[in-house]
Amino acid sequence: MKKEIGVIIVSVLMVMGGCSSQKVATNTSTPKVTPTSPATVETPSSKRSSTIKRSVPATAPQVQQMPSGYGFDQWQTGPIGDVFFGYDSSALSTEAQEQLQKNAAWLVSNTNKTAVIEGHCDSRGTSEYNLALGERRASSSKEYITRLGVAPSRLDAISLGEERPFALGTGEEAWLKNRRAHFIVK
Amino acid sequence: MRLLKRYAAIILLAISALHTLSLPLVAEEMDKYIAIQKEGTGNIPLVLNTLDVRSKNDADTARSLDAVLRAGLEFTDIFTLVPAPLNLKSSVGNNRGGVNFSALNTVEAEIYVGGKVTKKADGVTLTMEVYDISGSKLLFTQAYTGGEQQLRALGHAFCADLIEFFTGKSSVFGSKIVFVSNHRGFKEIYQCDFDGFGVEQLTILHSITLTPAFSPDGHYLAYTDFSSGRSKLTIKNLASKQSFTVANSGIGIDPAWRNNSELATTLSFEGDQEIYLINTQGKVLRRITKNDGIDLSPTFSPDGRYVAYVSERSGQPQIFTQAIESGAIKRVTFSGNYNTQPAWSPTGDKLAFTMRENSGALNIFVVNTDGSGLTRLTENSGNNESPSWSPDGRMIVFTSNRQGQKKLFVMSATGKNQRQLLRLAGEQMQPSWSLFTK
């Protein structure tokens, strides 16, 4: 029993930690927009690593504009934001739908761009199931954007399941960051 | 194994001869032991004597073979090795073949196994004798010859014969386990012998490679790989090294073989994720499932007439069986709200699977294919998942993170004697035990 209470306290602290860190993130003043030359030349290997490897962007930001708020965190610095999901779900929340509408609008006005939508899952559950669930998250996002007028051929939905987590560790703070459809503009 | 030559000339009494000479006796003995195994009344207590040698030069070889035999017999969990009595080789008392059965009767053992090693220019010969202690009867004797480098194969050939004699079935000796490991950075596919020896890398894709499965004849390896940037099913011919990737758009995950020419996997090229039967060139032969939501992780009954899989059709992942021809579907799991990774037992009557419990822990259970007899196999030891049956159905290999990182473990089919299979750096997962190589 004591142990359980301990676990609850720890999780409450974790959730609190999660809230405060989010606040910090949103309060950060938007950095000056630095026009950079568009992404480095893509070789086949760097192309693969962009979809398979996960790395915190430490190099020059490849962004036209630094957005903030829902859908944008240290792993999402592109022009369109990620969407997040509940446990074992590929259903689109109101927030997710709002983000997808913005993403669709951006894609509609940038017709020369395409996007890869990677479905991701938290580490709970089994890896085969998470690969399937990740695909559902990516495809439900793709479907939604398609209905807003973006050609399906411009959106590539793939799944990485639990294979490439964004946040490491266990606990809801990490898990909620890992349950996402991650957008990569090409 | 194929390289072994068995010399009939030095067989004191060939198994076949024994069968013809005293068939009722042997049949009776076999029935008795098969019955013991079926009832699960425990392991057969056995005395394994150290091997005799003619010359001191052969002593090292004999010691190596002793170790192979001991480890082999212990691994299978069919026998309990009882220490030999001190006066085993005394010439007094009820003595047969130099073995003192009066002394053996003083220890709680039913079977005596002894043998000798002879080395000649053409290789090493291991001659083994197996006695029933109570009747001091010779049950069988067999000789095995091979090169000095084949001691493991020699010892295991005897272990296989011994187990086949007592259980009436083939054993795990000679079978392989294929699995995923990241100890060299990327998740790649490896194989090892049934007992964790002889680890060998099978893929070098520098990507994410998952869910390997050998075809029953061992000629093909099917797996999911991300080398194209998305999860695709690849079927590799291990002899020609040629591989086919299922070309359809969408996902291709978690294959299972129905026979040597057909396998099933989840594909999503029609929109929803469904299970399809495909051939070794990746051509779709038949769609198996038809419903909204995830359908995943097929596993076939030994006769190939039924398939079990994970489906979300009831809202949460549960395990279902389906008759391939009629399409009749039955739900198998009702306990727990997250049941995945079904594995159909080679005996045909059970499914092993992984349940995500309310505590969040993953644990392995078995259930009869009609949904009755749910039995827990793992408990209070981290996350335990990815069960795969040994080809004889007596053991299960699985993944556990009970020591921190994910490693491969084995246990008996009833969950007893859980131990680590191999010690390798990094994490190992998704083991799949091959069928017989014979």
Side-chain angles (χ1 to χ4, degrees):
Chain A
M1 197 60 189
K2 260 183 193 166
K3 211 175 174 184
E4 277 174 27
I5 292 168
V7 170
I8 291 165
I9 291 170
V10 170
S11 15
V12 167
L13 287 174
M14 280 170 145
V15 171
M16 283 164 67
C19 294
S20 61
S21 72
Q22 270 174 358
K23 247 179 227 156
V24 171
T26 44
N27 288 347
T28 313
S29 57
T30 314
K32 266 183 211 158
V33 177
T34 33
T36 51
S37 53
T40 47
V41 179
E42 279 194 339
T43 61
S45 70
S46 76
K47 193 176 177 187
R48 189 167 76 189
S49 68
S50 69
T51 52
I52 297 298
K53 281 183 190 163
R54 173 80 42 241
S55 59
V56 179
T59 51
Q62 305 171 9
V63 279
Q64 289 87 343
Q65 180 188 347
M66 183 70 87
S68 63
Y70 178 89
F72 296 92
D73 55 19
Q74 66 264 49
W75 298 288
Q76 182 59 63
T77 52
I80 57 180
D82 290 354
V83 296
F84 299 87
F85 296 86
Y87 170 66
D88 193 15
S89 169
S90 56
L92 299 169
S93 65
T94 313
E95 277 173 311
Q97 291 181 31
E98 283 167 3
Q99 184 60 51
L100 290 173
Q101 288 160 20
K102 289 178 197 162
N103 292 0
W106 188 90
L107 285 161
V108 163
S109 55
N110 290 270
T111 47
N112 59 333
K113 297 288 187 185
T114 61
V116 173
I117 312 171
E118 290 179 353
H120 292 269
C121 302
D122 66 36
S123 58
R124 292 176 293 172
T126 46
S127 87
E128 301 86 352
Y129 183 83
N130 280 337
L131 265 186
L133 178 62
E135 194 195 33
R136 300 192 84 76
R137 287 176 177 162
S139 0
S140 66
S141 306
K142 176 178 171 173
E143 250 178 64
Y144 192 89
I145 294 182
T146 306
R147 275 189 271 130
L148 296 172
V150 179
S153 57
R154 293 174 61 201
L155 302 164
D156 190 13
I158 68 169
S159 175
L160 285 163
E162 60 176 75
E163 299 299 323
R164 290 288 182 269
F166 292 81
L168 298 174
T170 52
E172 185 54 24
E173 194 188 359
W175 290 331
L176 71 85
K177 289 185 186 300
N178 293 333
R179 296 191 300 262
R180 75 168 79 195
H182 179 56
F183 283 79
I184 302 162
V185 170
K186 301 269 179 183
Chain B
M1 219 61 114
R2 241 175 284 122
L3 299 169
L4 290 180
K5 273 173 98 182
R6 297 182 184 180
Y7 288 93
I10 46 171
I11 294 173
L12 297 176
L13 193 57
I15 297 176
S16 56
L18 187 74
H19 276 237
T20 39
L21 289 176
S22 53
L23 190 61
L25 177 81
V26 173
E28 191 186 301
E29 291 297 333
M30 273 192 68
D31 286 348
K32 181 178 142 198
Y33 291 113
I34 292 169
I36 288 172
Q37 287 301 302
K38 269 198 182 141
E39 286 161 21
T41 46
N43 296 356
I44 300 170
L46 175 149
V47 169
L48 174 65
N49 197 17
T50 49
L51 297 165
D52 290 336
V53 283
R54 266 194 207 153
S55 88
K56 274 186 185 172
N57 296 335
D58 303 346
D60 282 348
T61 306
R63 257 195 298 278
S64 300
L65 272 166
D66 269 329
V68 168
L69 292 173
R70 196 160 288 277
L73 295 181
E74 275 176 343
F75 182 87
T76 58
D77 218 11
I78 293 171
F79 305 101
T80 298
L81 298 191
V82 177
L86 291 173
N87 52 345
L88 182 61
K89 287 288 178 176
S90 157
S91 56
V92 292
N94 180 7
N95 182 309
R96 230 187 121 174
V99 179
N100 179 359
F101 279 90
S102 311
L104 275 173
N105 273 316
T106 63
V107 295
E108 297 278 317
E110 290 175 22
I111 303 299
Y112 167 78
V113 173
K116 63 179 178 190
V117 177
T118 45
K119 276 170 78 174
K120 285 181 189 160
D122 62 344
V124 178
T125 298
L126 169 68
T127 309
M128 298 300 295
E129 294 177 2
V130 178
Y131 286 91
D132 177 0
I133 290 172
S134 63
S136 51
K137 285 190 300 273
L138 180 64
L139 294 174
F140 80 88
T141 177
Q142 180 72 280
Y144 308 86
T145 297
E148 184 78 27
Q149 305 308 314
Q150 294 174 295
L151 298 184
R152 244 173 80 79
L154 280 177
H156 287 170
F158 167 72
C159 291
D161 285 345
L162 183 70
I163 288 159
E164 203 159 334
F165 181 82
F166 284 109
T167 66
K169 288 180 195 160
S170 297
S171 64
V172 293
F173 293 90
S175 63
K176 298 272 187 188
I177 293 167
V178 66
F179 59 96
V180 172
S181 178
N182 67 0
H183 70 284
R184 289 184 177 139
F186 295 95
K187 281 189 178 174
E188 303 277 7
I189 293 167
Y190 295 78
Q191 69 171 10
C192 65
D193 291 351
F194 70 97
D195 56 356
F197 277 75
V199 173
E200 199 185 320
Q201 187 166 353
L202 297 182
T203 62
I204 307 175
L205 294 165
H206 302 299
S207 175
I208 309 167
T209 315
L210 302 170
T211 60
F214 279 125
S215 60
D217 60 10
H219 292 174
Y220 293 95
L221 177 70
Y223 52 88
T224 299
D225 92 80
F226 282 75
S227 51
S228 66
R230 59 167 68 233
S231 55
K232 288 279 186 191
L233 186 79
T234 297
I235 301 152
K236 187 175 183 179
N237 182 323
L238 293 169
S240 71
K241 309 276 180 207
Q242 202 177 6
S243 51
F244 291 94
T245 296
V246 178
N248 297 315
S249 60
I251 212 163
I253 41 178
D254 205 8
W257 292 84
R258 184 187 191 195
N259 51 46
N260 290 325
S261 58
E262 294 176 339
L263 65 163
T265 193
T266 296
L267 300 172
S268 61
F269 67 94
E270 290 185 276
D272 200 47
Q273 295 157 338
E274 302 288 356
I275 295 169
Y276 296 81
L277 200 61
I278 61 174
N279 69 13
T280 53
Q281 278 78 49
K283 183 176 172 269
V284 170
L285 304 173
R286 182 202 276 254
R287 177 169 161 178
I288 293 176
T289 58
K290 281 187 177 76
N291 72 285
D292 287 345
I294 293 173
D295 289 300
L296 189 71
S297 302
T299 174
F300 287 95
S301 62
D303 62 11
R305 291 170 58 220
Y306 294 87
V307 61
Y309 52 80
V310 174
S311 180
E312 249 192 333
R313 65 192 65 189
S314 56
Q316 300 144 332
Q318 296 291 352
I319 293 159
F320 294 77
T321 60
Q322 183 173 330
I324 304 277
E325 286 310 320
S326 74
I329 296 165
K330 269 193 199 165
R331 180 168 164 181
V332 177
T333 53
F334 292 91
S335 201
N337 54 23
Y338 190 108
N339 293 313
T340 62
Q341 301 179 329
W344 208 306
S345 73
T347 47
D349 54 339
K350 285 184 164 58
L351 286 161
F353 65 95
T354 304
M355 185 189 291
R356 182 171 187 270
E357 302 193 76
N358 291 335
S359 64
L362 299 172
N363 273 307
I364 296 169
F365 288 75
V366 289
V367 66
N368 296 326
T369 52
D370 65 1
S372 67
L374 178 70
T375 308
R376 170 192 290 279
L377 298 190
T378 60
E379 192 169 21
N380 297 330
S381 50
N383 288 323
N384 301 283
E385 55 181 313
S386 298
S388 174
W389 298 84
S390 63
D392 60 358
R394 304 184 63 92
M395 298 178 76
I396 290 174
V397 63
F398 61 104
T399 304
S400 180
N401 71 351
R402 63 186 65 183
Q403 293 161 358
Q405 288 188 301
K406 287 183 181 176
K407 303 282 181 187
L408 299 192
F409 280 69
V410 286
M411 61 182 164
S412 79
T414 54
K416 280 189 226 149
N417 201 7
Q418 300 183 11
R419 72 264 195 205
Q420 197 170 338
L421 178 72
L422 81 168
R423 281 161 216 286
L424 208 57
E427 290 198 306
Q428 288 80 49
M429 60 217 82
Q430 297 179 331
S432 174
W433 213 319
S434 73
L435 289 178
F436 297 112
T437 50
K438 282 180 189 173

Short mmCIF file of all heavy atoms in Angstrom, two decimals, chain B residues 91-110:
data_model
loop_
_atom_site.label_atom_id
_atom_site.label_comp_id
_atom_site.label_asym_id
_atom_site.label_seq_id
_atom_site.Cartn_x
_atom_site.Cartn_y
_atom_site.Cartn_z
N SER B 91 32.79 -54.66 -9.22
CA SER B 91 32.49 -55.89 -9.95
C SER B 91 31.63 -56.84 -9.12
O SER B 91 31.23 -57.88 -9.59
CB SER B 91 33.79 -56.59 -10.35
OG SER B 91 34.56 -56.81 -9.18
N VAL B 92 31.36 -56.47 -7.88
CA VAL B 92 30.51 -57.33 -7.05
C VAL B 92 29.04 -56.93 -7.22
O VAL B 92 28.73 -55.90 -7.79
CB VAL B 92 30.90 -57.27 -5.55
CG1 VAL B 92 32.25 -57.89 -5.31
CG2 VAL B 92 30.82 -55.86 -5.03
N GLY B 93 28.16 -57.77 -6.72
CA GLY B 93 26.73 -57.46 -6.76
C GLY B 93 26.15 -57.74 -8.13
O GLY B 93 26.72 -58.47 -8.94
N ASN B 94 24.99 -57.15 -8.38
CA ASN B 94 24.28 -57.36 -9.64
C ASN B 94 24.98 -56.56 -10.73
O ASN B 94 24.69 -55.39 -10.96
CB ASN B 94 22.81 -56.92 -9.48
CG ASN B 94 22.03 -57.10 -10.77
OD1 ASN B 94 22.52 -57.67 -11.74
ND2 ASN B 94 20.80 -56.61 -10.75
N ASN B 95 25.92 -57.20 -11.38
CA ASN B 95 26.81 -56.49 -12.29
C ASN B 95 26.48 -56.83 -13.74
O ASN B 95 26.37 -57.99 -14.10
CB ASN B 95 28.26 -56.89 -11.95
CG ASN B 95 29.25 -56.17 -12.82
OD1 ASN B 95 29.11 -56.18 -14.05
ND2 ASN B 95 30.25 -55.58 -12.21
N ARG B 96 26.32 -55.79 -14.53
CA ARG B 96 26.11 -56.02 -15.97
C ARG B 96 26.87 -54.99 -16.76
O ARG B 96 26.76 -53.80 -16.46
CB ARG B 96 24.61 -55.92 -16.29
CG ARG B 96 24.15 -57.12 -17.11
CD ARG B 96 22.75 -56.97 -17.56
NE ARG B 96 22.72 -57.02 -19.02
CZ ARG B 96 21.59 -57.04 -19.70
NH1 ARG B 96 20.44 -56.99 -19.09
NH2 ARG B 96 21.63 -57.09 -21.01
N GLY B 97 27.63 -55.43 -17.72
CA GLY B 97 28.41 -54.51 -18.55
C GLY B 97 29.34 -53.66 -17.70
O GLY B 97 29.61 -52.52 -18.02
N GLY B 98 29.84 -54.24 -16.57
CA GLY B 98 30.75 -53.51 -15.71
C GLY B 98 30.05 -52.51 -14.80
O GLY B 98 30.69 -51.77 -14.07
N VAL B 99 28.73 -52.49 -14.84
CA VAL B 99 27.99 -51.53 -14.02
C VAL B 99 27.36 -52.26 -12.84
O VAL B 99 26.73 -53.30 -13.01
CB VAL B 99 26.89 -50.84 -14.86
CG1 VAL B 99 26.12 -49.86 -14.00
CG2 VAL B 99 27.51 -50.14 -16.06
N ASN B 100 27.54 -51.71 -11.65
CA ASN B 100 27.02 -52.33 -10.44
C ASN B 100 25.59 -51.82 -10.19
O ASN B 100 25.39 -50.75 -9.64
CB ASN B 100 27.94 -51.97 -9.27
CG ASN B 100 27.46 -52.56 -7.97
OD1 ASN B 100 26.42 -53.21 -7.91
ND2 ASN B 100 28.23 -52.34 -6.92
N PHE B 101 24.62 -52.63 -10.59
CA PHE B 101 23.22 -52.18 -10.46
C PHE B 101 22.74 -52.18 -9.02
O PHE B 101 21.80 -51.47 -8.68
CB PHE B 101 22.32 -53.01 -11.38
CG PHE B 101 22.37 -52.53 -12.79
CD1 PHE B 101 23.30 -53.03 -13.69
CD2 PHE B 101 21.53 -51.50 -13.22
CE1 PHE B 101 23.38 -52.55 -14.99
CE2 PHE B 101 21.60 -51.02 -14.52
CZ PHE B 101 22.53 -51.54 -15.41
N SER B 102 23.38 -53.00 -8.18
CA SER B 102 23.01 -52.98 -6.76
C SER B 102 23.28 -51.59 -6.20
O SER B 102 22.49 -51.04 -5.45
CB SER B 102 23.82 -54.01 -5.97
OG SER B 102 23.77 -55.24 -6.63
N ALA B 103 24.43 -51.05 -6.59
CA ALA B 103 24.79 -49.71 -6.12
C ALA B 103 23.82 -48.67 -6.69
O ALA B 103 23.37 -47.76 -5.98
CB ALA B 103 26.21 -49.36 -6.54
N LEU B 104 23.48 -48.84 -7.97
CA LEU B 104 22.56 -47.86 -8.60
C LEU B 104 21.19 -47.87 -7.93
O LEU B 104 20.52 -46.85 -7.84
CB LEU B 104 22.39 -48.18 -10.10
CG LEU B 104 23.45 -47.61 -11.02
CD1 LEU B 104 23.25 -48.13 -12.43
CD2 LEU B 104 23.39 -46.08 -11.02
N ASN B 105 20.79 -49.07 -7.45
CA ASN B 105 19.49 -49.17 -6.81
C ASN B 105 19.43 -48.40 -5.49
O ASN B 105 18.34 -48.13 -4.99
CB ASN B 105 19.13 -50.65 -6.58
CG ASN B 105 18.44 -51.23 -7.80
OD1 ASN B 105 17.57 -50.59 -8.39
ND2 ASN B 105 18.85 -52.42 -8.21
N THR B 106 20.62 -48.05 -4.95
CA THR B 106 20.62 -47.32 -3.68
C THR B 106 20.35 -45.83 -3.89
O THR B 106 20.05 -45.12 -2.95
CB THR B 106 21.98 -47.47 -2.96
OG1 THR B 106 22.99 -46.87 -3.79
CG2 THR B 106 22.31 -48.93 -2.68
N VAL B 107 20.49 -45.35 -5.13
CA VAL B 107 20.17 -43.93 -5.38
C VAL B 107 18.80 -43.86 -6.05
O VAL B 107 18.36 -44.82 -6.69
CB VAL B 107 21.23 -43.21 -6.25
CG1 VAL B 107 22.56 -43.15 -5.54
CG2 VAL B 107 21.35 -43.86 -7.61
N GLU B 108 18.14 -42.76 -5.87
CA GLU B 108 16.79 -42.60 -6.41
C GLU B 108 16.86 -42.27 -7.89
O GLU B 108 16.63 -41.14 -8.28
CB GLU B 108 16.05 -41.49 -5.66
CG GLU B 108 15.83 -41.78 -4.19
CD GLU B 108 14.61 -42.67 -3.95
OE1 GLU B 108 13.58 -42.43 -4.59
OE2 GLU B 108 14.73 -43.61 -3.14
N ALA B 109 17.20 -43.24 -8.71
CA ALA B 109 17.28 -43.00 -10.15
C ALA B 109 16.61 -44.14 -10.90
O ALA B 109 16.57 -45.27 -10.40
CB ALA B 109 18.72 -42.85 -10.58
N GLU B 110 16.08 -43.86 -12.04
CA GLU B 110 15.41 -44.89 -12.84
C GLU B 110 16.26 -45.32 -14.03
O GLU B 110 16.13 -46.42 -14.52
CB GLU B 110 14.06 -44.37 -13.36
CG GLU B 110 13.02 -44.19 -12.27
CD GLU B 110 11.75 -43.56 -12.79
OE1 GLU B 110 11.50 -43.63 -14.01
OE2 GLU B 110 11.03 -42.96 -11.97
#
